[in-house]
Each structure stands twice: as structure tokens, then as C-alpha cells.
């Protein structure tokens, strides 16, 4: 079983409009609604790849009930979300069908009480026993300690469970110091962490700070990985147009599934890139276009980069 943690779960709403214009009324051509938050997106992709997944985090209020009801219909995903008094947030993605651009609106999340955080910690530690790996994903809702991910990483390491961390800002800085197995920032998050805008130099710095391996998302330029086995660059053969929401989460699913399947780093990166691009081609986050995925897996080039560059 793979465990994904989404402390700031969401109900993702995707609106499609012919053309998004400021200060104008818009007629929505299509609406999609899905359980969201980075870890839930990761879980759905992992399940589609054939892995058994358990999701945990927080869910509350009417929005939380809707998230849980929809999760019940996802094959391969087990709901272990912890109930709270506050209402789960919503996120809204507005897709401009003319340009393919997406505008994202993210609510901050509910206030989490100390007793609710303690209940989550107890549930999380109980879930680590059968877990082959754990992904800690996304932002922290109000009330959750800024060092939350660091504590969750230490608990997983004590249980002998490998950890992937995907967050940003101060939670990322503190989490890296707890020595996660993989950190997956984007280029901006990595630069904020290290102060360096040269991705490989920044990735090496993040490893010196505690990460075992760093996989940095470089947007359309693909992924850069700094690992104990070497440095790697992987990129799609061409840009894929569509909705990029959830593309990074699909890359996490590719890396995590490759970890538990003991794939080589080049094979992990190939899967991550193919899934990420196939998610852009899909209509909503947490899904990927299977034909695009199958096609890209044979076209992605992974190159080894010298450690001194």
C-alpha cells in the first residue's frame, strides 16, 4: 500500500469558458468536480497505475462530505481522512478554451484545532505500518504547525518507510532538514529554498541540507534529478497543450510508483514526465490521458549530467 497525505484537501471545480476576459460575465460550457489537493490527485493516478493507495489528511463540513462521497467511487483508493469541525476548502480552475490557459483560485483551508492535529498524528502513525512509501503533499491549513512535515518525515523514517515531500516555503525548508528520501520542488520553490537559480547547483544544495534525492520540475523543460546514483535530465519531445492543473502531482505519482517498483532513476523520470504531460492533455486534475501517456513513454529522452555542471 502507498500512503498519500493531503493536510489541505479540497473540492476541485474546473470551469471551461470560450474566452476568459476581465470584468466580463462568462457562460460556462462545462463543469467538472473532483476530490482535490495534491495528495488526492497523486492517489488517483497511482490507483490508475494499479497500486493500492490509502489517503489521509483532513475533511470537514459539507465540502468534506462531498470529497469523501466522491472518493468512495474511486477504485483502488481507501479513504482514511480524519474528520474536523471546519469546512474543507474549494479550488476553482477556469480554463480558457481559446488559449488553453488556466486561471486558478485556491481557498486557504479550514482552521485545524490542536486536538484535531493530535488525532491526525495518531491515525498517521497507525497507517505507516502497512505502507510501502508515503507522499507528503501540498500546503498546510491554518492551525497546523509549520514544522508538521518534518515531524511526519521523522515518524516515517522511524517506521522504515521511504518518504517523498512535495511542498514549498518554510514547510519545505523544515521538511528537508528531516531527511526525506525524495523532494520534488519546482524551480521557483527550489530557488527560494536555496537562494540559487541554477537548478543543479540548487538541487545539490538541497541535498546538503538533508534531502536524499531532489527532483526539480522545470516546467516545459521537464525534470532535473540529483540523486546518489547520478544527475539526470528528462524532457518531453514537444510541448503538450491543455490544462496543467495536477501535472506536478502526476509526476509525483510517477516517481513514487517507480520507487516502490524499484525502477532505475531514468525509468522513474520517464514515467513521471509521461504522466505529467498526459495529465495536461486530460480535462481535469488527478486524471491522465492514457494514449498520450503510452505514446510519450517511448519518446522521452533521459540524459546523464556530470556532477560538476
Amino acid at each position: 500500500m502507498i500512503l498519500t497525505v493531503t493536510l489541505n484537501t479540497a473540492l476541485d471545480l474546473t470551469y471551461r469558458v470560450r474566452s476568459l476576459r476581465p470584468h466580463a460575465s462568462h457562460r460556462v460550457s462545462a463543469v467538472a468536480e473532483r476530490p482535490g489537493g495534491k495528495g488526492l490527485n497523486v492517489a488517483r493516478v497511482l490507483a490508475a497505475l494499479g497500486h493500492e493507495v490509502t489517503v489521509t489528511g483532513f475533511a470537514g463540513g459539507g465540502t468534506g462530505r462531498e470529497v469523501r462521497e466522491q472518493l468512495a467511487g474511486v477504485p483502488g483508493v481507501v479513504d482514511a481522512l480524519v474528520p474536523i469541525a471546519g469546512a474543507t476548502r474549494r479550488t476553482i480552475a477556469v480554463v480558457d478554451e481559446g488559449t488553453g490557459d488556466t486561471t486558478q483560485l485556491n481557498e486557504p483551508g479550514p482552521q485545524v484545532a490542536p486536538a484535531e492535529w493530535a488525532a491526525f498524528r495518531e491515525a498517521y502513525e497507525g497507517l505507516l505500518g502497512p505502507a510501502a512509501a508515503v507522499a507528503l503533499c501540498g500546503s498546510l491549513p491554518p492551525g497546523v504547525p509549520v514544522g508538521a512535515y518534518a515531524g511526519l518525515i521523522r515518524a516515517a523514517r522511524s517506521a522504515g518507510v521511504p518518504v517523498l515531500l512535495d511542498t514549498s516555503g518554510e514547510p519545505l525548508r523544515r521538511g528537508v532538514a528531516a531527511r526525506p528520501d525524495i523532494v520534488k520542488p519546482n524551480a521557483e520553490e527550489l530557488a527560494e529554498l536555496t537562494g540559487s537559480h541554477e537548478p543543479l547547483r540548487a538541487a545539490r544544495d538541497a541535498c546538503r541540507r538533508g534531502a536524499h534525492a531532489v527532483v526539480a520540475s522545470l516546467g516545459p523543460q521537464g525534470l532535473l534529478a540529483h540523486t546518489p546514483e547520478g544527475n539526470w535530465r528528462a524532457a518531453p519531445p514537444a510541448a503538450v497543450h491543455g490544462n496543467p492543473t495536477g501535472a506536478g502531482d502526476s509526476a509525483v505519482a510517477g516517481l513514487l510508483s517507480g520507487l516502490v517498483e524499484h525502477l532505475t532513476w531514468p525509468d522513474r523520470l520517464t514515467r513521471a514526465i509521461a504522466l505529467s504531460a498526459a495529465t495536461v492533455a486530460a480535462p481535469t486534475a488527478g486524471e491522465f490521458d492514457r494514449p498520450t501517456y503510452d505514446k510519450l513513454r517511448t519518446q522521452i529522452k533521459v540524459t546523464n549530467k556530470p556532477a560538476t555542471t
Side-chain angles (χ1 to χ4, degrees):
M1 177 269 284
I2 297 175
L3 178 64
T4 72
V5 174
T6 313
L7 296 176
N8 211 3
T9 53
L11 184 66
D12 286 346
L13 303 173
T14 302
Y15 295 150
R16 303 186 72 87
V17 299
R18 179 175 297 177
S19 176
L20 182 61
R21 304 180 308 280
H23 315 298
S25 296
H26 297 79
R27 187 176 297 277
V28 176
S29 60
V31 180
E33 187 178 88
R34 296 287 188 277
K38 294 176 74 64
L40 297 190
N41 293 337
V42 171
R44 284 202 301 275
V45 174
L46 286 169
L49 293 172
H51 289 274
E52 294 182 359
V53 189
T54 296
V55 298
T56 190
F58 296 112
T63 311
R65 286 193 298 273
E66 181 64 25
V67 166
R68 302 189 81 161
E69 287 172 4
Q70 292 198 26
L71 277 177
V74 181
V77 175
V78 175
D79 173 6
L81 294 170
V82 175
I84 58 172
T88 296
R89 66 185 179 134
R90 297 161 297 176
T91 69
I92 298 172
V94 183
V95 180
D96 185 319
E97 295 177 329
T99 64
D101 293 336
T102 299
T103 299
Q104 191 82 18
L105 303 173
N106 296 329
E107 296 179 0
Q111 182 75 31
V112 176
E116 292 168 336
W117 173 241
F120 169 80
R121 283 295 305 260
E122 182 178 357
Y124 170 79
E125 291 176 9
L127 291 167
L128 287 174
V134 58
L136 306 175
C137 302
S139 61
L140 302 179
V144 172
V146 70
Y149 283 138
L152 299 182
I153 291 166
R154 286 191 288 267
R157 288 179 58 82
S158 294
V161 181
V163 185
L164 185 152
L165 177 63
D166 182 14
T167 188
S168 60
E170 186 65 12
L172 174 61
R173 188 184 70 81
R174 298 199 186 193
V176 165
R179 305 185 64 79
D181 294 85
I182 303 173
V183 176
K184 199 215 75 65
N186 61 34
E188 181 180 346
E189 292 162 348
L190 187 59
E192 182 183 1
L193 173 68
T194 65
S196 174
H197 291 272
E198 199 290 304
L200 184 53
R201 183 178 296 112
R204 289 200 301 266
D205 187 10
C207 285
R208 286 192 292 268
R209 292 167 184 254
H212 187 67
V214 175
V215 180
S217 173
L218 307 180
Q221 285 72 49
L223 296 174
L224 167 72
H226 178 60
T227 80
E229 288 79 21
N231 301 308
W232 311 91
R233 281 290 300 269
V240 177
H241 299 287
N243 180 5
T245 306
D249 305 330
S250 292
V252 168
L255 295 170
L256 203 60
S257 62
L259 171 67
V260 300
E261 294 173 29
H262 307 290
L263 300 184
T264 65
W265 272 105
D267 287 342
R268 295 185 204 182
L269 296 172
T270 295
R271 179 179 291 181
I273 290 280
L275 284 170
S276 180
T279 296
V280 175
T284 55
E287 299 178 357
F288 63 94
D289 182 72
R290 179 72 69 167
T292 300
Y293 170 65
D294 291 337
K295 178 181 178 181
L296 286 176
R297 289 176 66 190
T298 66
Q299 299 178 345
I300 291 166
K301 297 184 182 300
V302 181
T303 57
N304 185 256
K305 291 190 68 66
T308 56
T309 62

